[in-house]
Amino acid sequence: MAACYLLFLLMFIVAGASVEDHGKLSSHYYKSTCPKVLSIVETVVAAAIKKEPRMGASLLRLHFHDCFVNGCDGSILLDDNATFIGEKTALPNNNSVRGFDVVDDIKAKLEKACPGVVSCADILAIAARDSTVKLGGPSWKVELGRRDSTTASGADANKSIPAPNFNISALLSSFAAQGLSLKDLVALSGSHTIGQARCTTFRTHIYNDSNIDPSFAKSLQSKCPKSGNDDVPQPLDFESPTCFDNLYFHNLLKMKGLLRSDQELFNGTSADSWVSKYATNTSKFFKQFAKSMIKMGNIKPLTGSSGQIRTNCRKVN
C-alpha cells in the first residue's frame, strides 16, 4: 500500500482543485456546530481500512448507491420497518453492500461530540472521500449540509442503480437520469480500481461475451463455475485491488474488465477515448474523479427543513 500513498502524494495537487458553488451545500457547513466532524470521520475510516483494506471500497460504494436512489439522503442506511421495504435488501445491495457497522461507529462518536448535528448522508459523503484518500486516490472538499430521508425504497433502488450487465447505452441512460455525463460515467467507474464483485455479477460476461481476453475469462471460470459459488468474490482490479490508481483503465484496454459494464466502457464507442486518456494520465483521472464525486454528491440533497438529522442511521427518529 506504500506505493498507493506515494502515488497520492504525487497527485496531491488535485486536492486544490477549485470547487464550484452548489447552492445550499458548503464545505464549511459544520464549522461552528461540529468543528471536529472531519477529524472524527477520518479517524474511524482510517482504523477500519487498516483493519480491512477492502472496507475503503465498501464505504465509497455506499455513497454511490445512496446518491443514485432518490438523491444523497442516507436512505441506503435505513433498515426495513413496518412502513417500507428499504434499499438494503434490493437486488443491487442484498448480500453486497457493507460497511454499516463503520457508519454506526462514526455516528456514535459524532453524537457524543455534537448531538443531533451531523447527518448520516453527510457521513457517507465524507467517508467516501476519506476512503479514496486512504487508498491512494485524490482528495476534494466535501460539500456538506445534507439532511436525512425518513423513508427508503427497495423498488427505486432496483430501478435506479446501474446493473453490472448493462451495455453502454443503458449505462449512459442511468447516469443521465442523475444529471451525470459520459465523462462522469467513465471517471466514476474508475472507482472499480478498488473493491470486489461477486461471481453472480460477472458470470454472464466471462461465459457469454466476446469482448473479453480469453485467458482472463478462463482464469475466472475456474473460480466462478456456470452454477454455484454465486457469492465468491473477485477483485474488480486484479492488478492492485486495494490501491486507488488508474490500472482499472489499463485492464480495460487489455479487455480484462471484470464486469460487462466495465468492459462496455472500452468497446468501440465514444467512451473509449476517455478510458485511453485516464489509462495514460493518472492526474487527469484523479482530477475528473474528484469533480465527478462532488457533482454526484449534489444529486437531490435534502436541505433546510426537509428530512431530519437521524440520531441512529439505521432508523428514523
Side-chain angles (χ1 to χ4, degrees):
M1 198 178 293
C4 296
Y5 288 117
L6 177 59
L7 184 58
F8 167 65
L9 289 173
L10 292 172
M11 298 300 156
F12 187 75
I13 189 173
V14 175
S18 61
V19 178
E20 297 175 27
D21 180 18
H22 287 282
K24 297 179 180 178
L25 299 187
S26 165
S27 60
H28 304 294
Y29 188 81
Y30 297 111
K31 185 175 182 180
S32 60
T33 56
C34 194
K36 294 183 179 179
V37 58
L38 296 182
S39 61
I40 290 172
V41 176
E42 182 183 13
T43 299
V44 177
V45 169
I49 292 176
K50 184 177 181 180
K51 182 179 179 181
E52 183 194 10
R54 181 188 172 195
M55 185 54 68
S58 299
L59 293 172
L60 178 56
R61 188 164 179 249
L62 273 178
H63 185 44
F64 272 88
H65 282 216
D66 182 43
C67 291
F68 264 72
V69 185
N70 300 318
C72 310
D73 59 3
S75 56
I76 194 171
L77 302 173
L78 288 171
D79 291 335
D80 295 352
N81 62 27
T83 307
F84 59 77
I85 301 298
E87 298 163 30
K88 288 183 177 180
T89 53
L91 187 61
N93 296 331
N94 196 33
N95 297 320
S96 177
V97 289
R98 53 201 297 276
F100 299 111
D101 290 344
V102 178
V103 175
D104 290 341
D105 190 12
I106 295 170
K107 183 60 174 173
K109 287 179 170 57
L110 287 172
E111 284 300 305
K112 187 175 182 180
C114 33
V117 173
V118 181
S119 69
C120 301
D122 277 347
I123 289 173
L124 291 181
I126 300 167
R129 187 274 309 275
D130 290 350
S131 295
T132 301
V133 172
K134 293 300 177 186
L135 294 177
S139 184
W140 59 92
K141 289 185 177 180
V142 181
E143 297 183 339
L144 303 166
R146 302 167 189 81
R147 289 170 63 84
D148 298 320
S149 67
T150 55
T151 188
S153 171
D156 287 345
N158 286 328
K159 290 187 297 183
S160 301
I161 297 173
N165 64 344
F166 271 9
N167 61 24
I168 189 65
S169 296
L171 288 169
L172 286 169
S173 295
S174 177
F175 275 66
Q178 307 294 344
L180 300 171
S181 67
L182 170 63
K183 187 190 295 188
D184 296 318
L185 163 62
V186 179
L188 292 173
S189 295
S191 64
H192 285 182
T193 182
I194 54 176
Q196 301 179 354
R198 296 178 299 151
C199 171
T200 185
T201 63
F202 59 83
R203 179 180 282 124
T204 300
H205 182 49
I206 65 173
Y207 283 102
N208 298 347
D209 293 345
S210 58
N211 62 336
I212 183 171
D213 178 85
S215 61
F216 180 61
K218 188 174 181 179
S219 70
L220 289 167
Q221 288 168 5
S222 67
K223 302 161 187 170
C224 180
K226 288 187 177 180
S227 62
N229 288 3
D230 282 3
D231 292 330
V232 172
Q234 290 297 308
L236 287 157
D237 172 5
F238 64 94
E239 295 280 2
S240 55
T242 58
C243 180
F244 197 103
D245 52 31
N246 71 336
L247 293 186
Y248 165 80
F249 297 108
H250 287 243
N251 296 336
L252 299 187
L253 296 181
K254 295 183 286 188
M255 310 302 281
K256 293 182 178 180
L258 182 66
L259 306 177
R260 173 183 287 172
S261 57
D262 289 327
Q263 198 56 60
E264 279 290 305
L265 300 180
F266 191 77
N267 196 33
T269 72
S270 55
D272 289 11
S273 60
W274 290 111
V275 171
S276 298
K277 180 178 293 186
Y278 298 149
T280 56
N281 194 317
T282 301
S283 179
K284 285 184 178 179
F285 165 48
F286 277 16
K287 186 174 182 179
Q288 185 56 50
F289 184 80
K291 287 182 177 180
S292 295
M293 284 296 292
I294 293 169
K295 187 175 178 181
M296 186 189 76
N298 278 272
I299 297 174
K300 294 186 289 187
L302 297 174
T303 58
S305 60
S306 299
Q308 63 180 211
I309 304 298
R310 285 185 227 134
T311 55
N312 179 337
C313 291
R314 295 174 181 262
K315 60 183 182 180
V316 297
N317 297 341

